[in-house]
Amino acid sequence: ILNVEQSPQSLHVQEGDSTNFTCSFPSSNFYALHWYRWETAKSPEALFVMTLNGDEKKKGRISATLNTKEGYSYLYIKGSQPEDSATYLCAFYGLTSYDKVIFGPGTSLSVIP
Amino acid sequence: DVKVTQSSRYLVKRTGEKVFLECVQDMDHENMFWYRQDPGLGLRLIYFSYDVKMKEKGDIPEGYSVSREKKERFSLILESASTNQTSMYLCASSPGLAGPYEQYFGPGTRLTVT
């Protein structure tokens, strides 16, 4: 069974702090990685779709990097704001089972005003 | 905008009842998915479908079945609900074959089985 891990499980930061968290996945079977943001009482929404080793994506204050050889992706938030409070999920697609995505357990971020 | 809707936000059922969770998407997506989300476990795939009348088991299909008679509608069925099926259920859709297409999620149904 393929395992996708995220760390830390939860994070509390002050408004204005920058933060980052990690998604780890099997490096030998990579096809694609997605990052989703899931705010309370809303639906998860895609942030990034990453497919190439060395990919770096950016959306406003949020960016992500991808290392498929070592099996990890980082998500960075610069100058956290209260509206960034959410659970951040990564989702792994493997080559041999590309039609079955495996989600990590998520990192819950709380930004304190 | 893609819209994925689910029939109920909250549902309370008794043990042994047959439960239907409905999901409808309005963007003509080929793929549809059912997940359940439990604390500390993330989203786990129950079933998915990439065409009408096609279905594939996900990681935790036991106790569930699905139906896709029309492209826009994907139903999750709990044949005989049990308390361990109390969970948040999320439906999603995506265009074409899976990855790297992003998935579009519905708002979720929080099911309680008593």
Side-chain angles (χ1 to χ4, degrees):
Chain A
I1 295 177
L2 299 175
N3 208 25
V4 177
E5 298 177 348
Q6 291 186 247
S7 63
Q9 185 177 351
S10 64
L11 202 51
H12 298 262
V13 301
Q14 291 290 136
E15 182 176 352
D17 286 353
S18 294
T19 187
N20 65 84
F21 22 93
T22 307
C23 172
S24 302
F25 52 83
S27 59
S28 60
N29 194 33
F30 180 84
Y31 182 57
L33 189 90
H34 297 182
W35 280 99
Y36 290 84
R37 175 169 58 201
W38 191 1
E39 296 177 68
T40 303
K42 294 187 178 179
S43 309
E45 290 185 342
L47 285 171
F48 303 116
V49 174
M50 310 183 82
T51 56
L52 299 174
N53 185 44
D55 250 358
E56 186 165 341
K57 304 266 184 172
K58 189 171 181 180
K59 187 181 286 189
R61 293 178 292 97
I62 304 177
S63 60
T65 61
L66 178 68
N67 184 323
T68 61
K69 293 184 179 180
E70 295 183 39
Y72 64 83
S73 176
Y74 292 140
L75 190 80
Y76 300 90
I77 303 179
K78 185 177 177 182
S80 302
Q81 299 297 308
E83 58 265 29
D84 296 329
S85 297
T87 295
Y88 292 83
L89 300 169
C90 66
F92 168 80
Y93 288 85
L95 269 172
T96 54
S97 58
Y98 62 89
D99 49 358
K100 280 193 204 178
V101 65
I102 302 171
F103 279 84
T107 292
S108 175
L109 173 67
S110 295
V111 181
I112 305 160
Chain B
D1 279 349
V2 176
K3 196 165 182 183
V4 180
T5 57
Q6 295 182 228
S7 49
S8 306
R9 292 298 300 269
Y10 299 94
L11 208 52
V12 180
K13 294 291 182 181
R14 293 180 184 243
T15 302
E17 277 193 85
K18 190 168 185 175
V19 182
F20 293 87
L21 301 182
E22 305 285 340
C23 175
V24 177
Q25 50 96 1
D26 66 359
M27 280 302 290
D28 202 36
H29 283 173
E30 281 77 14
N31 299 332
M32 296 189 76
F33 308 82
W34 274 106
Y35 297 91
R36 63 178 282 176
Q37 194 264 340
D38 300 289
L41 295 178
L43 294 173
R44 292 183 292 166
L45 183 64
I46 304 171
Y47 269 95
F48 66 100
S49 166
Y50 39 78
D51 202 352
V52 175
K53 296 192 188 295
M54 303 291 288
K55 61 185 179 185
E56 292 285 340
K57 293 181 180 179
D59 297 317
I60 49 165
E62 296 78 20
Y64 303 95
S65 62
V66 290
S67 171
R68 194 166 180 201
E69 296 296 319
K70 293 185 178 181
K71 192 175 185 180
E72 67 271 18
R73 189 180 296 269
F74 192 35
S75 302
L76 180 70
I77 304 155
L78 287 66
E79 295 290 341
S80 178
S82 63
T83 53
N84 63 12
Q85 292 178 309
T86 291
S87 187
M88 168 72 88
Y89 290 87
L90 283 159
C91 174
S93 71
S94 72
L97 282 177
Y101 299 108
E102 65 183 86
Q103 295 189 18
Y104 295 84
F105 285 86
T109 296
R110 187 165 292 282
L111 173 67
T112 303
V113 183
T114 60

